Structure formats: C-alpha cells, structure tokens
Amino acid sequence: MTDLSTTLAGVKLNNPLVLASGVRGNNAGLLIRAAMEGAGAVTSKSCSLQPREGHPNPTMMQKGDFMLNAIGLSNPGVEDEIGEIKEAVAHAGVPVIASVYGGSAPDFEKTAEMIAQAKPAIIELDASCPNVHREGEMFSSSAQSASGLARAVKTRLKAQAKTASIPLFIKLAPNVPDIGQIALECQKAGADGITAINTMPAMWIDVRARKPVLANQYGGLSGPALLPIALRCVHAIRKKCSLPIIGGGGVNSGEDAAAMLMAGANAVSIGSAVYYRRNAFGEIRAELQEFMQEEGFARVSDIRLEE
Ligand SMILES: Cc1cc2nc3c(=O)[nH]c(=O)nc-3n(C[C@H](O)[C@H](O)[C@H](O)COP(=O)(O)O)c2cc1C
C-alpha cells in the first residue's frame, strides 16, 4: 500500500500535487475542476488590491519543451476574488491556497488581510512575478526584501485572531544568486512555508518577423525545460531551510514529481503540465503511485535522496 498524503504547515493534502498559481486563473469553477481532476490542493491566480488589466496580446507562446508567458498579473482585484475563494473553499474538497500580489509591502499586507476573510487553507505571497516590471525587480530578489515582506504580512495576519492561524507561504524566483539563503531569512522572519519556483525570465524572437514573439518582449519560461533549474533551487533551499516546500517548475510526469520530492519538496506544484497533458493530475498521480510501488516507497515523505 502506498500513502500519497502529505502535510504542509499542518494542512493535510490527500496527494502531493498542487495546482500552481495562474495556470487556471482566478475563477472558482476552474479551481474546483482541478480538484476534481485529482489535485491534492489548488492555488488561485495571484490577485492584487486593485484590478489589473495585464499586458497586451500576445501574452503566451509554446515551443517544444517550454512556454513563455507575460500575462502581467491580469486579475479582477481582491474584492471580487474573495467571492471566488469562498466558493472554491466551500466546494473544492481540497485545501485552497490563495495567492496575492502587491506592488509594495503595505499593498501585500492589505490584500492578504482581505483575502483571509475567505478562509483559504494557506496564503501564498507572489514575491517573484518576473513580468510586472521590465527590469525584473522583485521582492524575492534579495534575502532582505523577501524576509521584510514575509515579516510584514505575517505580523499583520497575527494581529487578528481570525487570521492568525492561516499559514503564510512565500513564492521565490530562480534567478537569484543564493535562493537557500533567501528561504532561510524568510523562515527567520516568520514564514510558514516556501513555494519555489516561479518562472525564469526569458524571451523568444520570431526571426522572420524580426520581432520578439511576446508583446511585452520578455516573459517567464515554464514547462519541462524548467525542471533542472527548479530541482537545483529546491535542493538548495532544503539544504538551508527546514520549512515545508511546495516544489515545482517543469514537472510533467510522476517521475518528475518524484525527483522534486527527492530534491526536498513536501508537495509538488503542477503548472504548465495542464497545457501539455489532457489529464495532468490524474495521470501524474497514477504515475507517482506506480513509481512508489516499483521503488518500495510507502509514504511520500520516504522519497528522499540517498544519504
Ligand atoms: C499562464 C501562467 C500564469 C501564471 N500566473 C502566475 C501568477 O499569477 N502567480 C504566480 O505566483 N505564478 C504564476 N505563474 C507561475 C506558475 O505558478 C509556476 O510557478 C511556473 O509556471 C513554473 O511551473 P510549471 O513549469 O509547472 O508551469 C504562471 C504561469 C503561467 C504559465
């Protein structure tokens, strides 16, 4: 018998596959559908204090083993999102992770405080979106700014009895010199978990049109090509930080998910795989279970690198 369950900061998941933020949008119906397809938890697309239109089209492209996107965090704003999260919490049947984004620490604090009304199982701070500022400045760029953000939001949530117990995860970016140190400083600042990684800044050029393919010129790379980068990041985080990790980036099969768990993740996010595979959650879950049976792993937490 294999046991696929796992725990993230006290939140129990029946299997370790987590819908990554953004790939199914802000709508409750699509989050609920991912749960029905077999996700162990679902993450909403990041929402901000005010509605955001996002970037002009084209915002996405796919080529072979990678995708690029520069959606620009289009979302209806937190007021609308509270209703969507409430509906998802009521009907998904799995933990709902609410992702929030802000242009400043006070924006993040207010948005997290508001979304907490919907009682998500976890709040995730998107401190690492590469597409909002062209020059790539992100909260997760340095240990100081990432941990400052984690501390500010955690303090705000702890100030009220209703929100104090909601675990706070912070999502980190791969394009930094020492992601392990950033995660460690976030742990010291009071974060309850780490999500890693967000997309990798990239671009593609249509040489016949002599133009970048995305209207924003630059976008974030996701999909299978991202997996080796993500594994290295999660491994580096686990070396320094003892918080639970939702590890992801390029996971497209059960063996990819097993690799992510071996690198040190406690749960595995599934993003672009929903574009590559028709029944990504059902199939990847079955493949992971088969791998565990073949390799003699009884529990998800047993899947570790050899010492
Ligand atoms: C279309 C699209 C939209 C995304 N939107 C968000 C978002 O709003 N917030 C966020 O934290 N990550 C967002 N991401 C990043 C994913 O959550 C994930 O971290 C990234 O795609 C790498 O994982 P993958 O290779 O499994 O897709 C988005 C990714 C894609 C492809």
Side-chain angles (χ1 to χ4, degrees):
M1 272 296 284
T2 49
D3 177 5
L4 281 179
S5 69
T6 189
T7 305
L8 293 170
V11 177
K12 181 138 192 210
L13 278 59
N14 67 28
N15 79 75
L17 305 183
V18 178
L19 172 69
S21 177
V23 292
R24 283 277 173 85
N26 301 91
N27 179 272
L30 294 175
L31 299 178
I32 294 166
R33 201 175 94 192
M36 285 164 59
E37 289 166 1
V42 293
T43 314
S44 57
K45 179 162 179 65
S46 308
C47 75
S48 45
L49 207 46
Q50 304 300 335
R52 287 177 60 97
E53 259 192 27
H55 294 311
N57 282 320
T59 57
M60 277 178 83
M61 64 160 285
Q62 183 175 355
K63 189 174 166 61
D65 266 1
F66 71 85
M67 294 179 54
L68 295 187
N69 88 81
I71 309 279
L73 284 170
S74 64
N75 78 90
V78 67
E79 293 265 10
D80 274 24
E81 188 64 4
I82 292 170
E84 299 295 329
I85 300 291
K86 274 188 180 161
E87 194 182 332
V89 169
H91 301 293
V94 300
V96 175
I97 303 171
S99 172
V100 297
Y101 166 78
S104 66
D107 275 9
F108 264 105
E109 286 172 46
K110 182 89 189 118
T111 311
E113 189 180 42
M114 288 177 73
I115 209 69
Q117 292 170 26
K119 298 195 168 62
I122 290 171
I123 293 177
E124 183 174 282
L125 303 178
D126 178 3
S128 46
C129 182
N131 301 324
V132 190
H133 311 290
R134 180 77 51 87
E135 299 312 319
E137 187 61 30
M138 307 169 289
F139 276 92
S140 67
S141 293
S142 79
Q144 198 186 9
S145 58
S147 62
L149 178 66
R151 183 175 291 106
V153 179
K154 189 68 193 174
T155 305
R156 180 78 156 250
L157 293 176
K158 267 168 60 182
Q160 287 182 45
K162 274 191 281 184
T163 55
S165 62
I166 301 177
L168 183 69
F169 278 51
I170 182 160
K171 185 163 177 181
L172 302 183
N175 48 319
V176 291
D178 190 349
I179 196 169
Q181 190 61 30
I182 295 173
L184 175 64
E185 295 300 329
C186 289
Q187 176 169 7
K188 289 187 198 159
D192 301 292
I194 303 291
T195 303
I197 56 177
N198 212 314
T199 53
M200 183 76 188
M203 81 182 292
W204 196 254
I205 291 173
D206 179 339
V207 292
R208 297 286 174 184
R210 306 178 193 188
K211 281 185 177 158
V213 172
L214 297 178
N216 188 52
Q217 299 191 351
Y218 300 161
L221 185 145
S222 64
L226 190 60
L227 181 63
I229 294 171
L231 290 174
R232 185 248 176 219
C233 287
V234 169
H235 189 257
I237 293 168
R238 180 49 78 225
K239 277 209 244 174
K240 287 197 174 166
C241 166
S242 61
L243 292 176
I245 303 172
I246 303 174
V251 173
N252 205 38
S253 71
E255 291 203 4
D256 293 349
M260 195 53 80
L261 293 164
M262 279 190 195
N266 302 80
V268 180
S269 68
I270 302 292
S272 304
V274 304
Y275 303 112
Y276 283 86
R277 302 185 70 162
R278 191 165 293 191
N279 176 18
F281 289 102
E283 287 172 14
I284 296 173
R285 192 175 65 175
E287 289 164 9
L288 177 62
Q289 190 150 27
E290 193 179 319
F291 168 83
M292 289 170 70
Q293 278 157 2
E294 284 170 8
E295 294 294 321
F297 291 115
R299 288 177 300 269
V300 165
S301 56
D302 295 339
I303 305 176
R304 286 281 171 262
L305 288 176
E306 293 266 317
E307 290 290 303

